[in-house]
Amino acid sequence: ILNVEQSPQSLHVQEGDSTNFTCSFPSSNFYALHWYRWETAKSPEALFVMTLNGDEKKKGRISATLNTKEGYSYLYIKGSQPEDSATYLCALARGGSARQLTFGSGTQLTVLP
Amino acid sequence: DSGVTQTPKHLITATGQRVTLRCSPRSGDLSVYWYQQSLDQGLQFLIQYYNGEERAKGNILERFSAQQFPDLHSELNLSSLELGDSALYFCASTPPRGSYNEQFFGPGTRLTVL
């Protein structure tokens, strides 16, 4: 069984705060790590694909880092806004022909105005 | 809009019934994945098809089955429905190469079993 763990499970922050959450995964046979943003009543949307150890990706106020040797990725949100409220999912892709993703259970972020 | 379509958007039915959910992948994508999201649960992988053939199975019940047709659309059949089958069912598709397995999700079908 492949375990992709995300912490914390949920998080409430004030508007303007910066925050971060963690995705942990087994580092063997690593291929890629995906971050998705999932708003209520919508479908998950891709944020980042990370493939190389030491990768850093940024999109506006959201950034992510990757450590494939120790098996973790961090997602950072700088100056959180209410519209950032969503569940943030990470998903691991491993080498192989099935091309599946194994999803973590997500971090539910609520940004309070 | 991801380019993945799912119908219907909502479905309300009774216990013991059978329903079919439909998914059309993005143009050019050969793989289709089905997921179930129940209350307080994450995305649970059910099954994957690639170019018409089953590729991988996850936590799919024996009462559930799926297929992918020559035009690459996929159907998920849920039978002998139980109250616990009420959930949001997503399908996703993946390009045949590149993209590091990135999946593009459809809008989902919300199934309510009464």
Side-chain angles (χ1 to χ4, degrees):
Chain A
I1 295 176
L2 189 59
N3 282 330
V4 177
E5 308 276 350
Q6 288 189 249
S7 62
Q9 191 174 7
S10 66
L11 194 53
H12 289 71
V13 300
Q14 289 295 135
E15 182 175 355
D17 286 352
S18 294
T19 187
N20 65 85
F21 9 100
T22 306
C23 173
S24 303
F25 52 87
S27 54
S28 60
N29 202 18
F30 176 87
Y31 183 49
L33 194 284
H34 297 259
W35 281 100
Y36 284 83
R37 172 191 159 87
W38 190 5
E39 289 183 71
T40 302
K42 294 189 178 178
S43 52
E45 289 185 7
L47 278 174
F48 302 117
V49 179
M50 311 188 74
T51 57
L52 298 175
N53 186 42
D55 249 359
E56 286 190 36
K57 295 280 175 87
K58 188 171 178 180
K59 190 182 284 189
R61 293 178 292 96
I62 304 178
S63 60
T65 60
L66 178 68
N67 183 322
T68 59
K69 292 188 195 303
E70 296 180 38
Y72 64 84
S73 175
Y74 294 136
L75 188 81
Y76 300 91
I77 303 180
K78 187 175 174 182
S80 304
Q81 299 296 308
E83 57 265 30
D84 296 329
S85 297
T87 296
Y88 291 84
L89 295 169
C90 69
L92 176 68
R94 300 181 98 195
S97 61
R99 311 194 75 221
Q100 291 174 65
L101 292 179
T102 301
F103 283 85
S105 53
T107 292
Q108 187 174 16
L109 174 67
T110 305
V111 182
L112 304 167
Chain B
D1 183 358
S2 67
V4 178
T5 61
Q6 286 187 250
T7 56
K9 196 165 182 177
H10 301 278
L11 198 47
I12 301 175
T13 187
T15 54
Q17 295 298 304
R18 183 180 194 276
V19 297
T20 298
L21 314 184
R22 184 188 167 106
C23 166
S24 291
R26 296 184 329 151
S27 176
D29 288 357
L30 302 180
S31 276
V32 169
Y33 304 77
W34 285 98
Y35 293 91
Q36 179 192 57
Q37 195 242 335
S38 305
L39 200 62
D40 295 333
Q41 297 279 321
L43 280 171
Q44 301 293 315
F45 168 65
L46 295 177
I47 196 162
Q48 177 202 357
Y49 277 82
Y50 176 82
N51 203 20
E53 299 203 354
E54 182 184 303
R55 181 61 68 94
K57 252 183 178 175
N59 299 323
I60 188 165
L61 299 172
E62 284 194 18
R63 300 184 284 109
F64 296 1
S65 64
Q67 53 185 329
Q68 187 180 27
F69 294 87
D71 67 353
L72 300 176
H73 91 271
S74 178
E75 292 181 357
L76 179 67
N77 300 297
L78 314 177
S79 60
S80 302
L81 284 167
E82 302 174 359
L83 295 177
D85 298 327
S86 295
L88 197 49
Y89 291 86
F90 284 108
C91 92
S93 70
T94 297
R97 60 189 66 82
S99 88
Y100 295 99
N101 301 9
E102 181 177 353
Q103 294 184 11
F104 297 85
F105 284 82
T109 293
R110 182 167 292 282
L111 173 67
T112 304
V113 182
L114 300 174

